[in-house]
Amino acid sequence: MINKYFLAFFLATALVGCGGSGEDLSSSMDGSGDGSSGGSGGTTNQSAEGLWVGQITSQKEGAPISSIGIIRPTTGEYFFATNSDYSTLINGTGFIEGSKITSKDFVNPDSKLGAKSGTFEGSVVTSKTLLINEFSLGSNKVSGTFSFASLYNTGSNLNKLTGEYGSTVDSQIKYSFEFKNPSADKTNFIGTSSNLNCQYLGTLSLIDATKNIYRLTDLTIEKYDTRDNIQCNQSSTVNSALSGYAAFVEVGGKTSLLLLAINDVKNTTFSAVLNKK
């Protein structure tokens, strides 16, 4: 139950940053819009773009849960990961008008939130705070607080990615990833998770050299044990390649690599925090 509420919250949070003025997402996602199209009487829209870290609190569960995610400008797309090992993903789009953030849709393919739809409202201050006043998911209510991670503005460099990575200390999934020497604009990687019997192949590329964010594309997940009775991640097939984003984050006092991805039909996800070996 905690996981699903947490995911919901992330969705809500992401939504906060994704929208522009309710009708024109591109005009104010970066905080530069005049707010006129959103009916806010000329008030400049805030922006939820960036890397956000924080906690959510479930009315039912009580204990706060750590969360981390990425909100993109212009499109309003968001990716948030939760669970003790960040293995649960929330994905969706959202809207922002003035400092108010709202969302009406989210996707949680593994259903660990307990539902695949919900609503939320909150407020955001550009590059500072993201507050979720209330997220409704059935009879449960969730609130949360996120802070903007300044690490988002440290810039990106494919050479930073090169090397071997493993699972975070608390992860129950035994990941082992390797990022190869990059070309001019992208780097390929290969990974495995021994206890899930999965192999991961994909590509990371630059988006904006001034921001700590990378585009993740062509992520395929497949079995590395071909025996018929062995499945990868509870599924023997994946309908399509996954795509999403990656960024360096601070987790447990270490700089780690956050990977977030979902496929086009939104029935398969991947999210993890990896530490460099």
PDB file of all heavy atoms in Angstrom, residues 2 5-10 12-13 54-67 119-122 130-137 140-146:
ATOM      1  N   ILE A   2       1.935   1.210   0.749  1.00  0.00           N
ATOM      2  CA  ILE A   2       2.809   2.383   0.787  1.00  0.00           C
ATOM      3  C   ILE A   2       3.357   2.655  -0.594  1.00  0.00           C
ATOM      4  O   ILE A   2       3.402   3.783  -1.047  1.00  0.00           O
ATOM      5  CB  ILE A   2       3.970   2.167   1.775  1.00  0.00           C
ATOM      6  CG1 ILE A   2       3.434   2.158   3.202  1.00  0.00           C
ATOM      7  CG2 ILE A   2       5.001   3.265   1.612  1.00  0.00           C
ATOM      8  CD1 ILE A   2       4.494   1.969   4.242  1.00  0.00           C
ATOM      9  N   TYR A   5       0.819   4.374  -2.947  1.00  0.00           N
ATOM     10  CA  TYR A   5       0.524   5.758  -2.623  1.00  0.00           C
ATOM     11  C   TYR A   5       1.701   6.631  -2.955  1.00  0.00           C
ATOM     12  O   TYR A   5       1.557   7.756  -3.407  1.00  0.00           O
ATOM     13  CB  TYR A   5       0.184   5.870  -1.137  1.00  0.00           C
ATOM     14  CG  TYR A   5      -1.034   5.080  -0.797  1.00  0.00           C
ATOM     15  CD1 TYR A   5      -1.035   4.160   0.249  1.00  0.00           C
ATOM     16  CD2 TYR A   5      -2.168   5.215  -1.580  1.00  0.00           C
ATOM     17  CE1 TYR A   5      -2.149   3.431   0.510  1.00  0.00           C
ATOM     18  CE2 TYR A   5      -3.287   4.462  -1.314  1.00  0.00           C
ATOM     19  CZ  TYR A   5      -3.285   3.571  -0.274  1.00  0.00           C
ATOM     20  OH  TYR A   5      -4.398   2.842  -0.020  1.00  0.00           O
ATOM     21  N   PHE A   6       2.831   6.080  -2.728  1.00  0.00           N
ATOM     22  CA  PHE A   6       4.060   6.813  -3.012  1.00  0.00           C
ATOM     23  C   PHE A   6       4.134   7.118  -4.490  1.00  0.00           C
ATOM     24  O   PHE A   6       4.426   8.223  -4.892  1.00  0.00           O
ATOM     25  CB  PHE A   6       5.228   5.930  -2.617  1.00  0.00           C
ATOM     26  CG  PHE A   6       6.515   6.608  -2.857  1.00  0.00           C
ATOM     27  CD1 PHE A   6       7.012   7.498  -1.931  1.00  0.00           C
ATOM     28  CD2 PHE A   6       7.232   6.387  -4.006  1.00  0.00           C
ATOM     29  CE1 PHE A   6       8.203   8.124  -2.156  1.00  0.00           C
ATOM     30  CE2 PHE A   6       8.414   7.026  -4.222  1.00  0.00           C
ATOM     31  CZ  PHE A   6       8.894   7.886  -3.295  1.00  0.00           C
ATOM     32  N   LEU A   7       3.831   6.126  -5.315  1.00  0.00           N
ATOM     33  CA  LEU A   7       3.892   6.311  -6.751  1.00  0.00           C
ATOM     34  C   LEU A   7       2.901   7.377  -7.155  1.00  0.00           C
ATOM     35  O   LEU A   7       3.184   8.233  -7.986  1.00  0.00           O
ATOM     36  CB  LEU A   7       3.547   5.007  -7.467  1.00  0.00           C
ATOM     37  CG  LEU A   7       4.632   3.949  -7.371  1.00  0.00           C
ATOM     38  CD1 LEU A   7       4.182   2.667  -8.030  1.00  0.00           C
ATOM     39  CD2 LEU A   7       5.917   4.442  -7.978  1.00  0.00           C
ATOM     40  N   ALA A   8       1.710   7.286  -6.591  1.00  0.00           N
ATOM     41  CA  ALA A   8       0.690   8.237  -6.927  1.00  0.00           C
ATOM     42  C   ALA A   8       1.192   9.634  -6.650  1.00  0.00           C
ATOM     43  O   ALA A   8       0.992  10.556  -7.417  1.00  0.00           O
ATOM     44  CB  ALA A   8      -0.559   7.973  -6.103  1.00  0.00           C
ATOM     45  N   PHE A   9       1.825   9.758  -5.537  1.00  0.00           N
ATOM     46  CA  PHE A   9       2.320  11.063  -5.153  1.00  0.00           C
ATOM     47  C   PHE A   9       3.316  11.569  -6.155  1.00  0.00           C
ATOM     48  O   PHE A   9       3.307  12.734  -6.535  1.00  0.00           O
ATOM     49  CB  PHE A   9       2.989  10.963  -3.785  1.00  0.00           C
ATOM     50  CG  PHE A   9       3.605  12.256  -3.403  1.00  0.00           C
ATOM     51  CD1 PHE A   9       2.807  13.314  -3.029  1.00  0.00           C
ATOM     52  CD2 PHE A   9       4.964  12.427  -3.444  1.00  0.00           C
ATOM     53  CE1 PHE A   9       3.365  14.511  -2.689  1.00  0.00           C
ATOM     54  CE2 PHE A   9       5.522  13.637  -3.095  1.00  0.00           C
ATOM     55  CZ  PHE A   9       4.712  14.669  -2.714  1.00  0.00           C
ATOM     56  N   PHE A  10       4.158  10.681  -6.596  1.00  0.00           N
ATOM     57  CA  PHE A  10       5.174  11.097  -7.552  1.00  0.00           C
ATOM     58  C   PHE A  10       4.521  11.579  -8.811  1.00  0.00           C
ATOM     59  O   PHE A  10       4.953  12.520  -9.437  1.00  0.00           O
ATOM     60  CB  PHE A  10       6.085   9.921  -7.883  1.00  0.00           C
ATOM     61  CG  PHE A  10       7.050   9.659  -6.790  1.00  0.00           C
ATOM     62  CD1 PHE A  10       6.796   8.725  -5.824  1.00  0.00           C
ATOM     63  CD2 PHE A  10       8.215  10.383  -6.714  1.00  0.00           C
ATOM     64  CE1 PHE A  10       7.688   8.516  -4.817  1.00  0.00           C
ATOM     65  CE2 PHE A  10       9.096  10.159  -5.712  1.00  0.00           C
ATOM     66  CZ  PHE A  10       8.829   9.235  -4.760  1.00  0.00           C
ATOM     67  N   ALA A  12       1.690  12.892  -9.118  1.00  0.00           N
ATOM     68  CA  ALA A  12       1.143  14.200  -8.874  1.00  0.00           C
ATOM     69  C   ALA A  12       2.220  15.227  -8.957  1.00  0.00           C
ATOM     70  O   ALA A  12       2.068  16.288  -9.547  1.00  0.00           O
ATOM     71  CB  ALA A  12       0.503  14.237  -7.496  1.00  0.00           C
ATOM     72  N   THR A  13       3.332  14.914  -8.351  1.00  0.00           N
ATOM     73  CA  THR A  13       4.440  15.848  -8.339  1.00  0.00           C
ATOM     74  C   THR A  13       4.889  16.146  -9.744  1.00  0.00           C
ATOM     75  O   THR A  13       5.126  17.285 -10.110  1.00  0.00           O
ATOM     76  CB  THR A  13       5.628  15.241  -7.579  1.00  0.00           C
ATOM     77  OG1 THR A  13       5.220  14.926  -6.272  1.00  0.00           O
ATOM     78  CG2 THR A  13       6.765  16.221  -7.558  1.00  0.00           C
ATOM     79  N   GLY A  54      12.378  13.877  -2.280  1.00  0.00           N
ATOM     80  CA  GLY A  54      11.579  14.193  -1.110  1.00  0.00           C
ATOM     81  C   GLY A  54      10.930  12.995  -0.486  1.00  0.00           C
ATOM     82  O   GLY A  54      11.415  11.867  -0.609  1.00  0.00           O
ATOM     83  N   GLN A  55       9.812  13.257   0.195  1.00  0.00           N
ATOM     84  CA  GLN A  55       9.086  12.210   0.900  1.00  0.00           C
ATOM     85  C   GLN A  55       7.590  12.421   0.758  1.00  0.00           C
ATOM     86  O   GLN A  55       7.122  13.540   0.577  1.00  0.00           O
ATOM     87  CB  GLN A  55       9.426  12.221   2.395  1.00  0.00           C
ATOM     88  CG  GLN A  55      10.867  11.882   2.716  1.00  0.00           C
ATOM     89  CD  GLN A  55      11.130  11.912   4.211  1.00  0.00           C
ATOM     90  OE1 GLN A  55      10.553  12.722   4.941  1.00  0.00           O
ATOM     91  NE2 GLN A  55      11.996  11.026   4.676  1.00  0.00           N
ATOM     92  N   ILE A  56       6.855  11.316   0.847  1.00  0.00           N
ATOM     93  CA  ILE A  56       5.407  11.397   0.901  1.00  0.00           C
ATOM     94  C   ILE A  56       4.942  10.674   2.162  1.00  0.00           C
ATOM     95  O   ILE A  56       5.614   9.783   2.671  1.00  0.00           O
ATOM     96  CB  ILE A  56       4.744  10.780  -0.345  1.00  0.00           C
ATOM     97  CG1 ILE A  56       5.087   9.302  -0.446  1.00  0.00           C
ATOM     98  CG2 ILE A  56       5.172  11.526  -1.597  1.00  0.00           C
ATOM     99  CD1 ILE A  56       4.276   8.574  -1.498  1.00  0.00           C
ATOM    100  N   THR A  57       3.781  11.094   2.645  1.00  0.00           N
ATOM    101  CA  THR A  57       3.212  10.473   3.832  1.00  0.00           C
ATOM    102  C   THR A  57       1.791  10.027   3.544  1.00  0.00           C
ATOM    103  O   THR A  57       0.957  10.825   3.108  1.00  0.00           O
ATOM    104  CB  THR A  57       3.208  11.443   5.022  1.00  0.00           C
ATOM    105  OG1 THR A  57       4.549  11.861   5.288  1.00  0.00           O
ATOM    106  CG2 THR A  57       2.647  10.779   6.259  1.00  0.00           C
ATOM    107  N   SER A  58       1.512   8.757   3.775  1.00  0.00           N
ATOM    108  CA  SER A  58       0.198   8.185   3.542  1.00  0.00           C
ATOM    109  C   SER A  58      -0.628   8.265   4.815  1.00  0.00           C
ATOM    110  O   SER A  58      -0.144   7.979   5.905  1.00  0.00           O
ATOM    111  CB  SER A  58       0.330   6.716   3.109  1.00  0.00           C
ATOM    112  OG  SER A  58      -0.897   6.045   3.242  1.00  0.00           O
ATOM    113  N   GLN A  59      -1.887   8.669   4.655  1.00  0.00           N
ATOM    114  CA  GLN A  59      -2.783   8.758   5.799  1.00  0.00           C
ATOM    115  C   GLN A  59      -2.919   7.403   6.491  1.00  0.00           C
ATOM    116  O   GLN A  59      -2.988   7.313   7.717  1.00  0.00           O
ATOM    117  CB  GLN A  59      -4.153   9.247   5.325  1.00  0.00           C
ATOM    118  CG  GLN A  59      -5.180   9.456   6.423  1.00  0.00           C
ATOM    119  CD  GLN A  59      -6.522   9.873   5.870  1.00  0.00           C
ATOM    120  OE1 GLN A  59      -7.110   9.160   5.056  1.00  0.00           O
ATOM    121  NE2 GLN A  59      -6.993  11.038   6.279  1.00  0.00           N
ATOM    122  N   LYS A  60      -2.918   6.343   5.714  1.00  0.00           N
ATOM    123  CA  LYS A  60      -3.086   4.997   6.256  1.00  0.00           C
ATOM    124  C   LYS A  60      -1.785   4.443   6.835  1.00  0.00           C
ATOM    125  O   LYS A  60      -1.769   3.816   7.893  1.00  0.00           O
ATOM    126  CB  LYS A  60      -3.608   4.049   5.177  1.00  0.00           C
ATOM    127  CG  LYS A  60      -5.055   4.295   4.786  1.00  0.00           C
ATOM    128  CD  LYS A  60      -5.522   3.259   3.770  1.00  0.00           C
ATOM    129  CE  LYS A  60      -6.989   3.446   3.438  1.00  0.00           C
ATOM    130  NZ  LYS A  60      -7.478   2.452   2.442  1.00  0.00           N
ATOM    131  N   GLU A  61      -0.685   4.668   6.127  1.00  0.00           N
ATOM    132  CA  GLU A  61       0.582   4.048   6.529  1.00  0.00           C
ATOM    133  C   GLU A  61       1.367   4.878   7.535  1.00  0.00           C
ATOM    134  O   GLU A  61       2.094   4.335   8.363  1.00  0.00           O
ATOM    135  CB  GLU A  61       1.445   3.793   5.285  1.00  0.00           C
ATOM    136  CG  GLU A  61       0.761   2.942   4.218  1.00  0.00           C
ATOM    137  CD  GLU A  61       0.465   1.535   4.697  1.00  0.00           C
ATOM    138  OE1 GLU A  61       1.052   1.111   5.707  1.00  0.00           O
ATOM    139  OE2 GLU A  61      -0.355   0.854   4.072  1.00  0.00           O
ATOM    140  N   GLY A  62       1.256   6.206   7.439  1.00  0.00           N
ATOM    141  CA  GLY A  62       1.907   7.067   8.412  1.00  0.00           C
ATOM    142  C   GLY A  62       3.375   7.355   8.148  1.00  0.00           C
ATOM    143  O   GLY A  62       3.779   8.501   8.063  1.00  0.00           O
ATOM    144  N   ALA A  63       4.189   6.329   8.016  1.00  0.00           N
ATOM    145  CA  ALA A  63       5.635   6.521   7.855  1.00  0.00           C
ATOM    146  C   ALA A  63       5.960   7.165   6.509  1.00  0.00           C
ATOM    147  O   ALA A  63       5.395   6.793   5.486  1.00  0.00           O
ATOM    148  CB  ALA A  63       6.346   5.175   7.970  1.00  0.00           C
ATOM    149  N   PRO A  64       6.869   8.150   6.496  1.00  0.00           N
ATOM    150  CA  PRO A  64       7.264   8.793   5.235  1.00  0.00           C
ATOM    151  C   PRO A  64       8.049   7.837   4.347  1.00  0.00           C
ATOM    152  O   PRO A  64       8.747   6.946   4.844  1.00  0.00           O
ATOM    153  CB  PRO A  64       8.123   9.970   5.683  1.00  0.00           C
ATOM    154  CG  PRO A  64       8.661   9.550   7.010  1.00  0.00           C
ATOM    155  CD  PRO A  64       7.568   8.736   7.650  1.00  0.00           C
ATOM    156  N   ILE A  65       7.911   8.029   3.042  1.00  0.00           N
ATOM    157  CA  ILE A  65       8.581   7.174   2.071  1.00  0.00           C
ATOM    158  C   ILE A  65       9.425   8.056   1.149  1.00  0.00           C
ATOM    159  O   ILE A  65       8.947   9.050   0.614  1.00  0.00           O
ATOM    160  CB  ILE A  65       7.557   6.403   1.220  1.00  0.00           C
ATOM    161  CG1 ILE A  65       6.555   5.694   2.120  1.00  0.00           C
ATOM    162  CG2 ILE A  65       8.257   5.407   0.304  1.00  0.00           C
ATOM    163  CD1 ILE A  65       5.338   5.211   1.371  1.00  0.00           C
ATOM    164  N   SER A  66      10.670   7.685   0.931  1.00  0.00           N
ATOM    165  CA  SER A  66      11.548   8.455   0.046  1.00  0.00           C
ATOM    166  C   SER A  66      11.086   8.333  -1.398  1.00  0.00           C
ATOM    167  O   SER A  66      10.537   7.319  -1.809  1.00  0.00           O
ATOM    168  CB  SER A  66      12.987   7.958   0.163  1.00  0.00           C
ATOM    169  OG  SER A  66      13.482   8.147   1.465  1.00  0.00           O
ATOM    170  N   SER A  67      11.332   9.405  -2.162  1.00  0.00           N
ATOM    171  CA  SER A  67      10.963   9.395  -3.569  1.00  0.00           C
ATOM    172  C   SER A  67      11.895  10.291  -4.368  1.00  0.00           C
ATOM    173  O   SER A  67      12.514  11.204  -3.826  1.00  0.00           O
ATOM    174  CB  SER A  67       9.520   9.858  -3.743  1.00  0.00           C
ATOM    175  OG  SER A  67       9.388  11.188  -3.319  1.00  0.00           O
ATOM    176  N   THR A 119      -6.007  11.556  -8.762  1.00  0.00           N
ATOM    177  CA  THR A 119      -5.933  12.999  -8.953  1.00  0.00           C
ATOM    178  C   THR A 119      -5.077  13.605  -7.844  1.00  0.00           C
ATOM    179  O   THR A 119      -4.856  12.993  -6.806  1.00  0.00           O
ATOM    180  CB  THR A 119      -7.319  13.648  -8.903  1.00  0.00           C
ATOM    181  OG1 THR A 119      -7.883  13.447  -7.604  1.00  0.00           O
ATOM    182  CG2 THR A 119      -8.235  13.044  -9.960  1.00  0.00           C
ATOM    183  N   PHE A 120      -4.598  14.825  -8.086  1.00  0.00           N
ATOM    184  CA  PHE A 120      -3.846  15.506  -7.037  1.00  0.00           C
ATOM    185  C   PHE A 120      -3.851  17.004  -7.276  1.00  0.00           C
ATOM    186  O   PHE A 120      -4.151  17.468  -8.384  1.00  0.00           O
ATOM    187  CB  PHE A 120      -2.405  15.025  -6.983  1.00  0.00           C
ATOM    188  CG  PHE A 120      -1.481  15.807  -7.872  1.00  0.00           C
ATOM    189  CD1 PHE A 120      -0.805  16.927  -7.395  1.00  0.00           C
ATOM    190  CD2 PHE A 120      -1.316  15.444  -9.186  1.00  0.00           C
ATOM    191  CE1 PHE A 120       0.031  17.662  -8.224  1.00  0.00           C
ATOM    192  CE2 PHE A 120      -0.475  16.174 -10.020  1.00  0.00           C
ATOM    193  CZ  PHE A 120       0.197  17.282  -9.533  1.00  0.00           C
ATOM    194  N   GLU A 121      -3.535  17.747  -6.253  1.00  0.00           N
ATOM    195  CA  GLU A 121      -3.350  19.184  -6.368  1.00  0.00           C
ATOM    196  C   GLU A 121      -2.260  19.601  -5.405  1.00  0.00           C
ATOM    197  O   GLU A 121      -2.006  18.949  -4.399  1.00  0.00           O
ATOM    198  CB  GLU A 121      -4.638  19.941  -6.063  1.00  0.00           C
ATOM    199  CG  GLU A 121      -5.133  19.774  -4.638  1.00  0.00           C
ATOM    200  CD  GLU A 121      -6.382  20.592  -4.351  1.00  0.00           C
ATOM    201  OE1 GLU A 121      -7.139  20.853  -5.302  1.00  0.00           O
ATOM    202  OE2 GLU A 121      -6.562  20.982  -3.179  1.00  0.00           O
ATOM    203  N   GLY A 122      -1.595  20.690  -5.761  1.00  0.00           N
ATOM    204  CA  GLY A 122      -0.506  21.154  -4.918  1.00  0.00           C
ATOM    205  C   GLY A 122       0.027  22.481  -5.412  1.00  0.00           C
ATOM    206  O   GLY A 122      -0.658  23.206  -6.129  1.00  0.00           O
ATOM    207  N   LEU A 130       8.275  21.670  -4.198  1.00  0.00           N
ATOM    208  CA  LEU A 130       7.090  21.083  -4.793  1.00  0.00           C
ATOM    209  C   LEU A 130       6.285  20.451  -3.657  1.00  0.00           C
ATOM    210  O   LEU A 130       6.765  19.531  -2.990  1.00  0.00           O
ATOM    211  CB  LEU A 130       7.483  20.024  -5.825  1.00  0.00           C
ATOM    212  CG  LEU A 130       6.342  19.272  -6.484  1.00  0.00           C
ATOM    213  CD1 LEU A 130       5.435  20.225  -7.259  1.00  0.00           C
ATOM    214  CD2 LEU A 130       6.876  18.195  -7.410  1.00  0.00           C
ATOM    215  N   LEU A 131       5.097  20.974  -3.414  1.00  0.00           N
ATOM    216  CA  LEU A 131       4.270  20.509  -2.310  1.00  0.00           C
ATOM    217  C   LEU A 131       3.000  19.873  -2.846  1.00  0.00           C
ATOM    218  O   LEU A 131       2.329  20.452  -3.707  1.00  0.00           O
ATOM    219  CB  LEU A 131       3.896  21.672  -1.387  1.00  0.00           C
ATOM    220  CG  LEU A 131       5.057  22.503  -0.831  1.00  0.00           C
ATOM    221  CD1 LEU A 131       4.509  23.653   0.016  1.00  0.00           C
ATOM    222  CD2 LEU A 131       5.990  21.628  -0.003  1.00  0.00           C
ATOM    223  N   ILE A 132       2.680  18.690  -2.353  1.00  0.00           N
ATOM    224  CA  ILE A 132       1.444  18.029  -2.728  1.00  0.00           C
ATOM    225  C   ILE A 132       0.517  18.098  -1.524  1.00  0.00           C
ATOM    226  O   ILE A 132       0.763  17.470  -0.490  1.00  0.00           O
ATOM    227  CB  ILE A 132       1.684  16.566  -3.124  1.00  0.00           C
ATOM    228  CG1 ILE A 132       2.676  16.485  -4.271  1.00  0.00           C
ATOM    229  CG2 ILE A 132       0.367  15.913  -3.520  1.00  0.00           C
ATOM    230  CD1 ILE A 132       2.272  17.261  -5.504  1.00  0.00           C
ATOM    231  N   ASN A 133      -0.553  18.895  -1.664  1.00  0.00           N
ATOM    232  CA  ASN A 133      -1.486  19.059  -0.559  1.00  0.00           C
ATOM    233  C   ASN A 133      -2.319  17.814  -0.343  1.00  0.00           C
ATOM    234  O   ASN A 133      -2.561  17.399   0.785  1.00  0.00           O
ATOM    235  CB  ASN A 133      -2.408  20.252  -0.822  1.00  0.00           C
ATOM    236  CG  ASN A 133      -1.637  21.546  -0.989  1.00  0.00           C
ATOM    237  OD1 ASN A 133      -0.610  21.752  -0.355  1.00  0.00           O
ATOM    238  ND2 ASN A 133      -2.114  22.409  -1.868  1.00  0.00           N
ATOM    239  N   GLU A 134      -2.764  17.237  -1.459  1.00  0.00           N
ATOM    240  CA  GLU A 134      -3.583  16.041  -1.341  1.00  0.00           C
ATOM    241  C   GLU A 134      -3.579  15.251  -2.627  1.00  0.00           C
ATOM    242  O   GLU A 134      -3.769  15.786  -3.704  1.00  0.00           O
ATOM    243  CB  GLU A 134      -5.022  16.399  -0.979  1.00  0.00           C
ATOM    244  CG  GLU A 134      -5.923  15.191  -0.808  1.00  0.00           C
ATOM    245  CD  GLU A 134      -7.324  15.583  -0.374  1.00  0.00           C
ATOM    246  OE1 GLU A 134      -7.477  16.043   0.771  1.00  0.00           O
ATOM    247  OE2 GLU A 134      -8.250  15.439  -1.192  1.00  0.00           O
ATOM    248  N   PHE A 135      -3.360  13.977  -2.462  1.00  0.00           N
ATOM    249  CA  PHE A 135      -3.460  13.067  -3.591  1.00  0.00           C
ATOM    250  C   PHE A 135      -4.515  12.042  -3.228  1.00  0.00           C
ATOM    251  O   PHE A 135      -4.447  11.425  -2.166  1.00  0.00           O
ATOM    252  CB  PHE A 135      -2.131  12.361  -3.864  1.00  0.00           C
ATOM    253  CG  PHE A 135      -2.240  11.333  -4.957  1.00  0.00           C
ATOM    254  CD1 PHE A 135      -2.094  11.682  -6.277  1.00  0.00           C
ATOM    255  CD2 PHE A 135      -2.521  10.020  -4.630  1.00  0.00           C
ATOM    256  CE1 PHE A 135      -2.224  10.733  -7.272  1.00  0.00           C
ATOM    257  CE2 PHE A 135      -2.650   9.065  -5.627  1.00  0.00           C
ATOM    258  CZ  PHE A 135      -2.507   9.423  -6.954  1.00  0.00           C
ATOM    259  N   SER A 136      -5.517  11.903  -4.081  1.00  0.00           N
ATOM    260  CA  SER A 136      -6.615  10.993  -3.794  1.00  0.00           C
ATOM    261  C   SER A 136      -6.453   9.700  -4.571  1.00  0.00           C
ATOM    262  O   SER A 136      -6.319   9.704  -5.790  1.00  0.00           O
ATOM    263  CB  SER A 136      -7.952  11.647  -4.154  1.00  0.00           C
ATOM    264  OG  SER A 136      -8.171  12.800  -3.375  1.00  0.00           O
ATOM    265  N   LEU A 137      -6.468   8.609  -3.852  1.00  0.00           N
ATOM    266  CA  LEU A 137      -6.390   7.288  -4.457  1.00  0.00           C
ATOM    267  C   LEU A 137      -7.328   6.393  -3.648  1.00  0.00           C
ATOM    268  O   LEU A 137      -6.961   5.873  -2.611  1.00  0.00           O
ATOM    269  CB  LEU A 137      -4.969   6.743  -4.404  1.00  0.00           C
ATOM    270  CG  LEU A 137      -4.726   5.431  -5.129  1.00  0.00           C
ATOM    271  CD1 LEU A 137      -5.001   5.567  -6.614  1.00  0.00           C
ATOM    272  CD2 LEU A 137      -3.308   4.942  -4.920  1.00  0.00           C
ATOM    273  N   ASN A 140      -7.814   6.549   0.495  1.00  0.00           N
ATOM    274  CA  ASN A 140      -6.577   7.003   1.143  1.00  0.00           C
ATOM    275  C   ASN A 140      -6.172   8.399   0.672  1.00  0.00           C
ATOM    276  O   ASN A 140      -6.412   8.775  -0.469  1.00  0.00           O
ATOM    277  CB  ASN A 140      -5.440   6.024   0.849  1.00  0.00           C
ATOM    278  CG  ASN A 140      -4.211   6.310   1.686  1.00  0.00           C
ATOM    279  OD1 ASN A 140      -4.288   6.438   2.895  1.00  0.00           O
ATOM    280  ND2 ASN A 140      -3.074   6.399   1.031  1.00  0.00           N
ATOM    281  N   LYS A 141      -5.567   9.162   1.545  1.00  0.00           N
ATOM    282  CA  LYS A 141      -5.067  10.494   1.217  1.00  0.00           C
ATOM    283  C   LYS A 141      -3.564  10.517   1.455  1.00  0.00           C
ATOM    284  O   LYS A 141      -3.066   9.961   2.430  1.00  0.00           O
ATOM    285  CB  LYS A 141      -5.734  11.560   2.089  1.00  0.00           C
ATOM    286  CG  LYS A 141      -7.258  11.556   2.007  1.00  0.00           C
ATOM    287  CD  LYS A 141      -7.759  11.854   0.609  1.00  0.00           C
ATOM    288  CE  LYS A 141      -9.282  11.848   0.586  1.00  0.00           C
ATOM    289  NZ  LYS A 141      -9.810  12.082  -0.789  1.00  0.00           N
ATOM    290  N   VAL A 142      -2.856  11.189   0.550  1.00  0.00           N
ATOM    291  CA  VAL A 142      -1.398  11.241   0.633  1.00  0.00           C
ATOM    292  C   VAL A 142      -0.946  12.690   0.461  1.00  0.00           C
ATOM    293  O   VAL A 142      -1.488  13.425  -0.371  1.00  0.00           O
ATOM    294  CB  VAL A 142      -0.754  10.362  -0.458  1.00  0.00           C
ATOM    295  CG1 VAL A 142       0.757  10.510  -0.439  1.00  0.00           C
ATOM    296  CG2 VAL A 142      -1.149   8.899  -0.269  1.00  0.00           C
ATOM    297  N   SER A 143       0.021  13.113   1.246  1.00  0.00           N
ATOM    298  CA  SER A 143       0.621  14.435   1.089  1.00  0.00           C
ATOM    299  C   SER A 143       2.118  14.261   0.953  1.00  0.00           C
ATOM    300  O   SER A 143       2.665  13.216   1.297  1.00  0.00           O
ATOM    301  CB  SER A 143       0.300  15.326   2.289  1.00  0.00           C
ATOM    302  OG  SER A 143       0.851  14.773   3.472  1.00  0.00           O
ATOM    303  N   GLY A 144       2.775  15.281   0.434  1.00  0.00           N
ATOM    304  CA  GLY A 144       4.210  15.128   0.259  1.00  0.00           C
ATOM    305  C   GLY A 144       4.941  16.431   0.034  1.00  0.00           C
ATOM    306  O   GLY A 144       4.342  17.452  -0.294  1.00  0.00           O
ATOM    307  N   THR A 145       6.235  16.376   0.241  1.00  0.00           N
ATOM    308  CA  THR A 145       7.099  17.541   0.070  1.00  0.00           C
ATOM    309  C   THR A 145       8.345  17.150  -0.710  1.00  0.00           C
ATOM    310  O   THR A 145       9.018  16.179  -0.362  1.00  0.00           O
ATOM    311  CB  THR A 145       7.537  18.104   1.432  1.00  0.00           C
ATOM    312  OG1 THR A 145       6.374  18.458   2.197  1.00  0.00           O
ATOM    313  CG2 THR A 145       8.402  19.347   1.244  1.00  0.00           C
ATOM    314  N   PHE A 146       8.625  17.916  -1.761  1.00  0.00           N
ATOM    315  CA  PHE A 146       9.811  17.669  -2.571  1.00  0.00           C
ATOM    316  C   PHE A 146      10.666  18.931  -2.637  1.00  0.00           C
ATOM    317  O   PHE A 146      10.161  20.044  -2.637  1.00  0.00           O
ATOM    318  CB  PHE A 146       9.425  17.267  -3.987  1.00  0.00           C
ATOM    319  CG  PHE A 146       8.943  15.854  -4.111  1.00  0.00           C
ATOM    320  CD1 PHE A 146       7.658  15.511  -3.749  1.00  0.00           C
ATOM    321  CD2 PHE A 146       9.780  14.863  -4.602  1.00  0.00           C
ATOM    322  CE1 PHE A 146       7.202  14.215  -3.856  1.00  0.00           C
ATOM    323  CE2 PHE A 146       9.345  13.570  -4.712  1.00  0.00           C
ATOM    324  CZ  PHE A 146       8.049  13.232  -4.339  1.00  0.00           C
TER     325      PHE A 146
END
